[in-house]
Amino acid sequence: MKPRVLVARAVFPDIVERLRSHFVVHDNPGDDAWSQPELIARLQGHAGVLVAGTERIDAALLAACPTLRAVCSMAVGYNNIDLPACTAAGVLVSNAPDVLTETTADFGFALMMATARRITESEHFLRAGRWTHWSYDLFAGADVHGATLGVLGMGRIGQAIARRGALGFGMPVLYHNRSRLDAAIEQQLGASWVGKDQLLQRADHLVIVVPYSPASHHLVGAAELALMKPTATLTNIARGGVVDDAALAVALRERRIAAAGLDVFEGEPAVHPGLLGVPNVVLTPHIASASLPTRRAMAELAARNLMAVLGQGADAGRPPTALNPEVLPLRA
Ligand code: GLV
């Protein structure tokens, strides 16, 4: 009998069809929002699940779903999944690294530029019919080229952003990360490691790309914002919760920093009302990886992992991007 798998979010229909040739598939074509009890109910009797960064896979769910053997996410960030609990339960977890790096870096750079050059704020002004005359300082913002780029979190996406800044825009690049890059990579990127306070003090444009974990919760809050230049911008494409959104809203309202670009929010899809109430912030709905080819590549990779974990297809037994390969071979 074919194993049963659940595709928890709507994804490309042809990918779901491909899964149907290996599995009995239950999916969510309408992309309905399932509550946690509903997700647990739907997972009963299933061996695998394809998720996005939105489904919470925790110890309680694992205990309630004893047939589950594979959790394959199409996101790169996996703070929605309790990895140690999955490992303890013998459940293989995979994510989707690499395939979204360049697309996400493109978006981070675009959001930083839109923030520095006040693109959405000026568009709202124009659409509202308020553009009546030229003025020397009409939406005058900050330069990007030649300004100091600060990257907080220097993994794959951080490095791709640094490369854009250094090679494309002549930006001196400073970064802070728990571990330093090899000197050769630093040299290639033209990037220098500095302490976190130095980074905050010296960056003209700070881009945040650290994964969320309890250790990175409110990594940038009121005290950190107070270190930044009043002319600086902050762009967050990491995860909601890395920045204290309430403190950021105050800093923006009081012009303690110039502007922010945010693709991720604490408690999203809700957005802190203080952020909605200030003009000097560019807001986007968690779409940094959302180019069609990249979203397809992410879903394909999750499907490949799912097939591999459950012994199907060319990679059977060898999921390409397992986060806890130590659970292989899987419990029967
Ligand atoms: C998006 O935020 C992801 O983690 O893939």
Side-chain angles (χ1 to χ4, degrees):
M1 224 179 50
K2 287 180 180 174
R4 285 148 66 106
V5 301
L6 182 70
V7 178
R9 302 303 307 268
V11 291
F12 298 86
D14 58 299
I15 295 179
V16 176
E17 282 317 303
R18 198 172 332 136
L19 288 172
R20 285 195 206 285
S21 52
H22 299 275
F23 304 112
V24 174
V25 178
H26 295 113
D27 64 338
N28 185 4
D31 217 12
D32 301 321
W34 290 338
S35 65
Q36 201 67 4
E38 191 167 3
L39 177 61
I40 290 172
R42 286 180 184 270
L43 276 171
Q44 295 308 303
H46 288 67
V49 63
L50 193 157
V51 298
T54 40
E55 286 62 52
R56 187 156 46 83
I57 307 294
D58 56 17
L61 178 142
L62 294 167
C65 302
T67 56
L68 196 61
R69 291 155 55 203
V71 174
C72 298
S73 176
M74 61 179 280
V76 65
Y78 52 90
N79 54 298
N80 55 319
I81 300 171
D82 184 336
L83 187 59
C86 287
T87 304
V91 172
L92 191 289
V93 180
S94 65
N95 69 337
D98 301 323
V99 289
L100 48 56
T101 300
E102 298 300 327
T103 295
T104 304
D106 282 351
F107 188 90
F109 213 85
L111 188 55
M112 181 264 281
M113 290 195 77
T115 301
R117 297 303 307 274
R118 306 175 65 181
I119 287 178
T120 55
E121 191 185 351
S122 63
E123 186 190 348
H124 291 147
F125 168 89
L126 180 152
R127 283 181 187 271
R130 294 168 55 203
W131 184 25
T132 54
H133 58 277
W134 180 91
S135 140
Y136 78 98
D137 62 349
L138 185 65
F139 292 104
D143 271 325
V144 171
H145 72 275
T148 298
L149 174 63
V151 181
L152 184 54
M154 200 56 147
R156 289 169 284 234
I157 297 169
Q159 290 177 42
I161 289 172
R163 203 173 309 115
R164 281 160 177 74
L167 304 183
F169 290 78
M171 302 175 85
V173 180
L174 303 176
Y175 76 96
H176 181 74
N177 202 49
R178 266 179 316 184
S179 50
R180 277 186 75 152
L181 299 173
D182 285 350
I185 299 179
E186 280 190 353
Q187 203 179 2
Q188 230 177 51
L189 296 172
S192 310
W193 185 95
V194 291
K196 184 179 151 202
D197 287 1
Q198 280 274 316
L199 184 78
L200 292 159
Q201 284 161 352
R202 291 171 59 189
D204 293 311
H205 302 298
L206 178 72
V207 182
I208 302 174
V209 212
V210 281
Y212 180 82
S213 71
S216 64
H217 182 75
H218 286 186
L219 190 61
V220 176
E224 289 73 21
L225 290 163
L227 294 175
M228 294 179 69
K229 301 178 189 182
T231 49
T233 72
L234 173 155
T235 296
N236 184 11
I237 57 164
R239 272 289 182 277
V242 172
V243 174
D244 178 343
D245 285 350
L248 178 60
V250 172
L252 289 168
R253 193 179 67 231
E254 297 180 353
R255 305 277 168 170
R256 284 196 244 128
I257 65 168
L262 306 174
D263 187 48
V264 289
F265 304 89
E266 289 189 272
E268 63 187 46
V271 175
H272 192 285
L275 292 170
L276 294 171
V278 289
N280 48 339
V281 60
V282 181
L283 305 167
T284 53
H286 203 149
I287 55 167
S289 66
S291 73
L292 268 178
T294 290
R295 282 287 161 89
R296 172 170 283 284
M298 293 159 70
E300 297 260 11
L301 183 54
R304 240 179 96 191
N305 275 293
L306 192 57
M307 294 202 291
V309 182
L310 299 176
Q312 309 288 311
D315 310 305
R318 287 173 286 111
T321 53
L323 288 164
N324 56 353
E326 64 273 25
V327 309
L328 290 169
L330 292 168
R331 64 183 162 79

